[in-house]
Amino acid sequence: MSHSHPRWRQAKKILTWLFFIAVAVLLVVYAQKVDWGDVWNVVRNYNRTAFFSAIGLVIVSYLLYGCYDLLGRAYCGHKLAKRQVMLVSFICYAFNLTLSTWVGGIGMRYRLYARLGLPGATITRIFSLSITTNWLGYILLGGIIFTFGGSTAS
């Protein structure tokens, strides 16, 4: 078993580099298919108020999502720095939005927090609090919308 361990480590490094090379190649291939003149025209003529409002909402969204992990930090009592917790939550939120909850919300959070030295039970508590807080927020927002005029039916 000890003889296969260095080989497995080397194979993981090679596979990781192959993955990043494949991503770079795909980005170049797809970037060549884009009509960048049309993209520039759309960006230049885009409604600036809508554009900057969207950027503001994205920033607020990431900060709010990061606060869930800060609540988890306070709840669990672990000693990771707040900036580390926010960085982990930002990365996980980005992966969550693009690759699903299983990859971003769970898998990435376990990987990053474990690398920072947190035990699995603490990570589970952080994730559970985060997902619960997130869904309670959705329920509250839905209740407010339905209560105060979200319906157009008469």
Side-chain angles (χ1 to χ4, degrees):
M1 177 127 172
S2 63
H3 297 289
S4 66
H5 189 65
R7 286 183 183 166
W8 175 244
R9 195 174 325 148
Q10 183 67 23
K12 284 181 9 181
K13 285 181 183 180
I14 291 170
L15 289 172
T16 300
W17 277 106
L18 287 174
F19 172 76
F20 285 121
I21 290 169
V23 168
V25 168
L26 287 172
L27 285 173
V28 169
V29 167
Y30 285 113
Q32 290 174 342
K33 295 180 180 182
V34 173
D35 185 349
W36 292 104
D38 285 348
V39 171
W40 177 247
N41 286 334
V42 168
V43 169
R44 193 175 52 211
N45 296 323
Y46 202 77
N47 180 340
R48 299 218 190 301
T49 303
F51 180 72
F52 288 116
S53 296
I55 289 174
L57 288 172
V58 166
I59 291 169
V60 168
S61 175
Y62 272 84
L63 289 173
L64 182 62
Y65 196 78
C67 288
Y68 296 157
D69 279 24
L70 288 177
L71 283 172
R73 177 181 181 264
Y75 173 68
C76 295
H78 68 75
K79 301 299 181 203
L80 291 180
K82 290 178 183 177
R83 66 178 181 80
Q84 284 181 311
V85 172
M86 290 298 282
L87 182 60
V88 167
S89 70
F90 285 6
I91 292 168
C92 292
Y93 190 45
F95 276 87
N96 190 16
L97 292 173
T98 55
L99 297 176
S100 83
T101 299
W102 291 106
V103 174
I106 299 172
M108 198 56 120
R109 189 175 264 119
Y110 272 94
R111 180 162 177 89
L112 294 175
Y113 277 135
R115 284 186 168 232
L116 292 171
L118 293 182
T122 302
I123 300 167
T124 301
R125 288 173 46 197
I126 293 168
F127 174 73
S128 299
L129 181 69
S130 177
I131 199 77
T132 303
T133 307
N134 188 42
W135 278 102
L136 285 173
Y138 286 143
I139 292 168
L140 176 66
L141 182 62
I144 291 170
I145 289 171
F146 293 138
T147 301
F148 296 107
S151 174
T152 57
S154 18

